[in-house]
Amino acid sequence: MKLYCLSGHPTLPCNVLKFKSTTIMLDCGLDTTSVLNFLPLPLVHSARLSKLPGWISKDGTVNLEKELKECAGRVFVDSQPEFCVPERELLDLSTIDVILISNYHCMMALPYITEHTGFTGTVYATEPTLQIGRLLMEELVNFMERVPKAQSATCWKNKEIQRILPGPLKDAVDVWIWKRCYSMQEVNSALSKVQLVGYSQKVELFGAVQVSPLSSGYSLGSSNWIIQSHHEKVSYVSGSSLLTTHPQPMDQSSLKNSDVLILTGLTQMPTANPDGMLGEFCSNLAMTIRAGGNVLVPCYSSGVIYDLLECLYQFIDSANLGTTPFYFISPVANSSLEFSQIFAEWLCHNKQSKVYLPEPPFPHAELIQTNKLKHYPSIHGDFSSEFRQPCVVFTGHPSLRFGDVVHFMELWGKSSLNTIIFTEPDFSYLDALAPYQPLAMKCVYCPIDTRLNFHQVSKLLKEVQPLHVVCPEHYTQPPATQSHRSDLMLELQPPPMPYRRCSVLNLPFRRRYERVYILPELANSLVPSEIKPGISVATVSAVLHSKDNKHTLQSIPKPPPVPPSKKRKRVMEEPPVTPAPKPLLSGAVPLEAFLTTLQKHGITEVKVEETADGHILHLQAEDTLIQLEEDGTHIVCDNNEPLRTTLRDLVLRFLQKL
Amino acid sequence: MDGECVSLLPGVCKVLADSGRSLPDDTSLEKLLDWFTGLSKTGGSLLESCPCLLEFISTVGSNTALDPGVLSFALRLAGLIAAREAGFTVLQERSVVDLVFNPQHWQDAGLWSDPCIRIGWIQGLQNMLQHPKALSFFVQSDLTQLLLQLQADTSLFVASAASQLLGHILLRFQPPPSSRREGTGETAEDHQGTSVEYAAVVVVISEYIQKSLSTEGSTQHRRSVQLLRLLALLLAQAGPPLRDTLLQAVGDALKELVAAGCSQLTLPLMDVILAAHSCGADKPDRHLSCLLSSMFSVNKPADLIQAAAAFLRRGLHDSDHSVWAVRILLLPLDIVTGRSLLGSKDLDEHRLSTAEELKIKNSCISLLCLCLTNTPHITLLPADLLPCPPGLIVTAVLALLSISSGQNSASSSPTATSCTEVSRNVIGSSKVQKCALEALAALSCCPGGKEKMNEVFTVLLQYLDSPDSDPTVLHKSYLALIKWMSLCTNLSFLTEQLRQDLLSVVRKRVCDVRWEVRDSTVEFVGKAAGVLTSPEEAPEGLPVSTAPLLKEALQDTESYVRASAIGALAQTQWHSWQQGAALTQQQTETVSRLLEILSQDTEGFARRAVVQYFISWFSAVSSHASPSSSISSYPSASLLMNSVRSVLSFGSADLDWEVKVHTLELARLLLDEAFLAEWGYRKSPDSYAGDSERTCRLHTHSRGVESDLAGVLTSLVELGVISALLSGLVDCDRPVALKACRLLIRLRDTVSWDSESQDASAAMATVTRVSCELPGWGWGQEIKKVLESKSSDWASKDCATALILSGADDGDSDQDGGDRMHAGVCEVLRSLGLDERLDILSQSSDHVHNSPLSLLQDILDASAAHTHPNTQPGQEVIVDCY
């Protein structure tokens, strides 16, 4: 059993598991942090961005004026942003049989895998994962295609040139495999390969293994996966949460008794408690609005935003914000808000029960009804006529490199009354803000990451007790910035197996058993004999039939009776005449009784020698040795066949025949 | 004693002595005994006032068929009667003492096995053992052995009572010190007799304690704990001879127990040693010092630190041990923070075991908390007892706070590896955080603390800013902040950055999602304004910048926060009120918002706070106004007085009784102020009750003042003070009515003149003409009813009508349908029967129910109901149900 690690990102994993002749890809997360190296894509022409100076090396020998621009002391690539896709060279992606998706954040690289690689397998995901994942992909494509950039910068990626570049660009890794965003057509094609599954549904893969998604409590339709054969069980834990937010709670008990547990997707903010952050978010928001400023919340169009809106719904009145407008701007804003209301079966119990009441599960419906929350596909169109300040705007993309958020950054960045509140933990907020510096706007970092923290995960592992744990290497040491926090790492016995991008791990367990079926008629013919109290043994002679990874023992076909014909015998292969199998022997020879028996047969001079495994009997008169060992008996007797036969028969008396 | 009670008592005794009768409930005997105890304490002889008791005890004592509860009661009562020598003699003459306190009597009756009887016997004895004769009886009857056996009784209560009795005997009959003996009138023979018996008892008891401690010390912890407690009690109160005898007897046993090092016995043992230590002579006993030293050398960190804390709490002058105890207490802090508080001297052995203990989460937290709670006390000890300057301890507590918030690691030290393991137990532990914050608050008084101010603020602000801080942790951080702020009158000692941070954190927290946090923030703002008395040098100083936040908080959805905001507003404005600063537009707005809250807010807390706001405004202004100038010269007098008028009218009509009481407090201040301006008498902060001096002075005033008095009274009527008082008087809530009644009595005494004197009555003509309006509904009607009933008491109905000066105004009839009336204030005050009312109101509402008479009647009634020929068992219950 092997694990190929195609992504090193702990929360955007992409691993391939080879298990019992199947090749299973676990998630295909897209690492979008690479876009931080690019200039923002403004929706409206920005004089500031267009006037940025190009970059020329100090000695003037390298001129990349067209590709790289200097902004606020840093150098950015002026081109369509590119993403760091999963490794494609580690193994042949066309051999992948299935892809299991655990949540909509972990499927964003799907088109890169399923298209143009020869992939012919199936993708398994739950319905909300598929639908919301589609929305997020659509949004991403929309953000990119709305502001097309003809130019594609490649010169800077030249190894020789990259070496002399300043700052983070110099240290960017795998820049050659960075890819531009996919197209809507590729998205549709990729998603057409998705087959929907429900929680705990068991899907057979070629009869060899069974996979089954379990609720993971992190987002709508998010799941962990169990991959098991008859005798082995691998659990794949991706983004999971034990907090009571909107999704169904996490199913922990089904993870028990795993041989291997692959652990990914822990919180990226182990020191930031989501409740505390939510509190910070609200108080900073209220503080800014009271002072007459606007609040900008760069966020994804699904996920935490539902919880933010729910929290605000309760907070608005207590903070006297009843008259402040809240805007949600995204190409998929409307679908996201509405989808969330219809996935009732995927919601937590509390919200599910609301389905039977004349009120929607999420309170944002009421915010919309009362005109407190308004949503628009983009800043163009209706929004501009309705726009009223001070206000709160939720919009993407959290990297601040594309999407409507770029416009608000340009609009509000200059006033210290306004505040930007980061809630998504995926991007370093300082890097996200870099191309907007100098910035007068207040910045608040309230990353809300509801995924498991180290305390919760060690409790979970104590409960489910897997034999081995595999996890990204980040989890085996404290965060680099907080090396004293030994509580922020996994400490297990045996220690977890760490992986990084491009690792290939041999998972440390051997398959020892295989299930074999036996046909009833064959079973009927068996004659068990009891060898120990409660244990019976029978010998079986049969033909092993293997098909679709199922093994069946069938009776040996009887040779067809030779038809009484006078025709000349056809030249046909005679079935080999199988001699009746010799009976198998079992049992041990008791020394004392054996000696007595020997004596009865006139063999008296026996010297018994004790060895590590049993005894050696030296029949001195006959010059013969009998070795009685745990797993074998030997009679060494030169040129005296009758004696040997006698002795053999004496030994056999003490053994049982099956 | 009440005659009625005396007449009922024989009946009650009969009921109790009758085995077939039942009691109203199982507490009645206890109540009865409490009553008798009270009676005997007030000095009277029980036998003289209730002769039937003698008969009762002798009958009951011989009737073993009675309920054990009654028998136990009789035993204790007998002890109570025999507590005086005279009573004892009478009981002995009737052989009652010999009978009831003879255990054989109860054993023969098969009742001794009932713990009720045993405890009655013990407590009866304890009641009785107050004089030498009783002791002689006790010794001669050879009850000591039995009492010692009862120490190990199966019933915890019996065992504990027996142990108390042992202590009582030893302490009560101690020979008085020779210097004291002279004045007491005791004769030498008297004492000699006792002392022989006493000495014998002491010997037996101390032998017993010694034997029990050495045999049971290691096995039966519960018993040992009890013995040690008794010993500690004895040693703490014993005079030198007894103390020496006891110590001599138990010294070895104690040594063994200390050596055994049993954790459960650490604290009781420490109590014993310290009790002996602290009452000893100036020079500490060598043996005790040894014991103490061995207590301090046990290698169990939890026990050790407990012993050290117990030692320090005693505050003994024992510098050797104090130094040691301080070091032990500071050790956990030293290890966790890596600050070397103790240097590297000795303690190595303890350091290792404590470090191991700290790796276990539970013991880590308890050790640290014990250490932290003692740090403030430690820093106040003389410098030569401390291993480091007090400032270093403050730094260590700050370091611990930083570690606990996950901000900082322990500073690098040789033990750094163990520190990471320990800090994992501490990170995020709100218990440690709270404990450390409390300690930090108390450490503000430590010598040299002021220099640490910036460090303290840095850590506290970190806590206040942290999103993970629990609301209680935030609250404690604020409290600590206030404590440290109070060391200075302004924030100029802080760096500019810290001042900015403080302001921004307060701005953020006042918008917090959790109301508890908003509440403590608002409270903090108020308290900070109270503490920072000198004006801020910067225009954006804390009080100035936070005022808008408070105004915003008046709109909060949570009533506690609104109330706190109102309180904080009062605190921030106190100085400007006192200094008579001119009114700002903002203040005017605040006042109208507050009146709106008073009249409309649905929650009592906010309304109470509004009334208190005006109380503090008014008292700030009146404390500022000199006797010669009145409030009217104050810049914002008209706004204040107009608001006060509204507060009185809203407040006295409020549904919440506390709002009404506060309103009456405001009325009291107004009365004070009114009469102060007129006569300039000394103000007293407490309420009007019993201030005869003032009344006298008012009464001796000459003519010429009557018109002023009339003016004052008229202004009080106009302000609504009189209406507030009258409506309070008839309020259904007792505290409101009581307060109003007291104020009205004071007012009456102030305005009434000796009606006999001709001069006075003439002079008062104008005063009596001052009238007030009574509404034709609600309290007005109640007052009218009271007046009518009173007038029917002492004169004809016509008088009552005469009080009412005029009926309904033409055409101006009240909406509620009632007629408004005018009444003369003086007449009303005189005619309301205020003194009787005060008597009634002063009694607690359950005084009838709790009286002995009611108890006696209950007992009689219950037995009557039970024995009534026509009642079936259970019928009583049915009657109760329907």
Side-chain angles (χ1 to χ4, degrees), chain B residues 346-472:
Chain B
D346 44 51
L347 274 174
D348 278 346
E349 186 191 349
H350 296 308
R351 185 177 283 278
L352 281 179
S353 55
T354 309
E356 279 308 308
E357 194 85 1
L358 285 170
K359 287 180 192 168
I360 306 162
K361 182 144 190 167
N362 283 345
S363 35
C364 172
I365 290 175
S366 75
L367 281 183
L368 277 176
C369 287
L370 205 53
C371 160
L372 286 167
T373 32
N374 281 288
T375 45
H377 177 61
I378 289 176
T379 54
L380 298 177
L381 291 174
D384 58 326
L385 298 182
L386 301 183
C388 61
L392 203 55
I393 297 176
V394 178
T395 316
V397 172
L398 290 174
L400 180 63
L401 278 167
S402 294
I403 294 172
S404 180
S405 67
Q407 298 284 340
N408 253 333
S409 66
S411 72
S412 55
S413 72
T415 51
T417 39
S418 74
C419 278
T420 51
E421 281 176 67
V422 177
S423 59
R424 194 183 304 183
N425 292 333
V426 178
I427 290 174
S429 158
S430 65
K431 196 162 177 197
V432 170
Q433 291 176 352
K434 281 184 255 184
C435 225
L437 286 168
E438 268 170 15
L440 187 63
L443 282 170
S444 62
C445 332
C446 90
K450 223 168 167 176
E451 292 143 33
K452 301 281 166 189
M453 197 75 95
N454 277 303
E455 284 174 54
V456 171
F457 267 69
T458 311
V459 171
L460 287 177
L461 288 178
Q462 216 174 59
Y463 264 78
L464 289 174
D465 194 41
S466 163
D468 293 333
S469 294
D470 193 73
T472 47

Side-chain angles (χ1 to χ4, degrees), chain B residues 153-227:
Chain B
D153 199 276
T154 46
S155 155
L156 275 182
F157 296 100
V158 174
S160 148
S163 154
Q164 276 172 19
L165 179 55
L166 270 194
H168 171 81
I169 294 173
L170 290 193
L171 295 171
R172 177 68 184 79
F173 296 103
Q174 283 185 83
S178 47
S179 56
R180 232 199 300 151
R181 205 180 295 173
E182 282 152 19
T184 53
E186 285 178 56
T187 60
E189 300 96 71
D190 233 9
H191 197 265
Q192 219 159 23
T194 322
S195 64
V196 174
E197 280 155 353
Y198 176 69
V201 174
V202 169
V203 169
V204 175
I205 295 180
S206 45
E207 268 175 10
Y208 163 78
I209 297 180
Q210 182 225 344
K211 219 173 91 195
S212 317
L213 274 185
S214 39
T215 53
E216 286 170 0
S218 45
T219 49
Q220 279 215 312
H221 296 315
R222 187 172 66 80
R223 286 273 295 122
S224 312
V225 169
Q226 196 185 324
L227 279 169

